[in-house]
Amino acid sequence: CVSVAVTLICIVLALPAGYAIARSKRQLFFLFLMIIPFWTNSLIRINAWISILGNQGFLNGLLKKLHLITESIPFLYNQQAVILVLVYMFIPYAVFPIFSAIDKFDFSLLEAARDLGATKTEAIFKVMLPNIRAGILTAVIFTFIPVFGSYTVPLLVGGKDSYMIGNLIVDQVTKIRNWPLASAFSVLITVFSAVCVLWMMFASFKQEKQAGK
């Protein structure tokens, strides 16, 4: 459920972000801003979120100074914190393929749809989105697979309800010493990832073939 929720949120946020970047004259600048966080170790970024969301962290401190709360709100160690941090960590994985697909899209098609009586929203949903579905599919796969196998985020900011398959594999190896089961889950993730990549390649090839016609 966490993997699906994070993927959906990333796609919903990546669509307007990718559109804005594709239409901007400062594409390289915005893409550079998205790359900068990857220069920092993921553990440092996760610990930064712990400092923000902790009971004595920045967010609770700010709310207390504004006299909006009197006691700390437990933002950390729950499923919502895991989803928030995972979205932050993996949203670039969704933005880049969607931006690439939108950047190649012929925007004159939107103008043609508007001339034929479609509203701006209808033109986007009925013209643009079907033409960039390969980019959306790529974004879904690139986001879902690493989120599905995530280990450090649920471990550091999650609670008991944030136990994901990555944590299960590590526990089977380090605590229970059940190597066969851990291997089985690892192979399952590998096979699932391979199937998703092949599906993505097939969908992209099919769309290019249809565009060629």
Side-chain angles (χ1 to χ4, degrees), residues 127-179:
V127 178
M128 189 179 75
L129 291 185
N131 281 277
I132 64 168
R133 61 180 179 271
I136 296 175
L137 176 61
T138 302
V140 169
I141 294 172
F142 280 7
T143 306
F144 182 80
I145 292 175
V147 170
F148 186 64
S150 179
Y151 166 69
T152 53
V153 173
L155 178 67
L156 296 177
V157 304
K160 295 180 180 179
D161 297 331
S162 302
Y163 197 72
M164 299 178 67
I165 193 168
N167 306 94
L168 176 62
I169 293 173
V170 173
D171 286 348
Q172 292 297 320
V173 173
T174 60
K175 296 180 180 179
I176 305 177
R177 302 293 181 182
N178 191 343
W179 287 74

Side-chain angles (χ1 to χ4, degrees), residues 76-121:
L76 269 180
Y77 309 120
N78 52 56
Q79 206 168 66
Q80 291 73 24
V82 173
I83 292 174
L84 173 63
V85 178
L86 284 174
V87 168
Y88 162 76
M89 297 287 287
F90 293 106
I91 193 170
Y93 290 68
V95 173
F96 281 117
I98 288 178
F99 154 73
S100 179
I102 295 177
D103 195 43
K104 296 176 183 177
F105 174 70
D106 185 1
F107 284 94
S108 63
L109 296 176
L110 292 180
E111 297 176 3
R114 295 293 301 277
D115 292 339
L116 292 173
T119 63
K120 188 174 182 179
T121 303

